[in-house]
Amino acid sequence: MKPHRLCMTHHLRPHKAYPVELAQFHSADYVEFLHRITPDTQHLFSNELARYNLGEDCPVFENLFEFCQIYAGGTIDAARRLNNQLCDIAINWAGGLHHAKKCEASGFCYINDLVLGILELLKYHARVLYIDIDVHHGDGVEEAFYFTD
């Protein structure tokens, strides 16, 4: 029995996910808004903040979009490494933001990296088993795949 090859994103620098990658699940207008919004300009976008659910549970902070790009990129990279058999187990300690919806942030989650990772895995695998061990329900992931087989 061969030992498992483990990939952890703190050993590998993830790529910053491109807006087009984020839009594999999220709406392009939501991704574009996350790219534009900053703490200094958020007062100009009260309608959009409400539409995309940014504010109390999902505050706007400096480098928000870059944060999203890095943690989403880590999960996408992990899935690609698994798909290409470069490792047997991949962990992104910064990932797991399972509440984000297609068109809105939710529960401190802005981009749903898990959905993006699952979509990447589905390019090579017929089915993916998603087990969420968080104390909170992964409603964003459920919503993304609820009407698929």
Side-chain angles (χ1 to χ4, degrees):
M1 190 164 134
K2 69 177 186 162
H4 290 293
R5 293 164 296 151
L6 176 66
C7 298
M8 295 195 317
T9 57
H10 76 269
H11 293 331
L12 304 168
R13 183 177 300 270
H15 83 286
K16 289 182 185 176
Y18 297 104
V20 68
E21 291 176 294
L22 303 177
Q24 294 297 304
F25 169 59
H26 295 283
S27 67
D29 61 319
Y30 173 61
V31 171
E32 197 271 326
F33 179 71
L34 288 176
H35 197 199
R36 276 188 308 151
I37 193 73
T38 69
D40 295 334
T41 63
Q42 66 181 336
H43 67 281
L44 302 172
F45 299 103
S46 58
N47 290 340
E48 290 90 344
L49 288 169
R51 180 179 349 141
Y52 299 123
N53 199 32
L54 271 74
E56 291 183 32
D57 278 356
C58 301
V60 176
F61 55 88
E62 202 65 46
N63 299 315
L64 169 62
F65 190 69
E66 183 179 31
F67 168 71
C68 294
Q69 288 180 291
I70 292 169
Y71 76 76
T75 299
I76 293 167
D77 288 348
R80 287 178 180 158
R81 292 183 68 79
L82 289 166
N83 281 343
N84 292 304
Q85 299 178 348
L86 298 173
C87 60
D88 301 311
I89 300 167
I91 300 170
N92 176 8
W93 294 113
L97 284 83
H98 60 177
H99 294 302
K101 311 291 193 307
K102 181 175 183 70
C103 299
E104 69 178 48
S106 179
F108 300 100
C109 302
Y110 302 87
I111 293 292
N112 197 317
D113 63 298
L114 295 164
V115 170
L116 297 173
I118 292 167
L119 290 173
E120 192 65 35
L121 290 169
L122 287 170
K123 293 177 181 177
Y124 286 73
H125 306 279
R127 297 186 315 175
V128 173
L129 173 64
Y130 166 76
I131 300 173
D132 194 321
I133 59 171
D134 192 305
V135 69
H136 300 105
H137 176 67
D139 55 333
V141 178
E142 178 186 39
E143 186 178 293
F145 297 107
Y146 191 77
F147 293 109
T148 68
D149 59 4

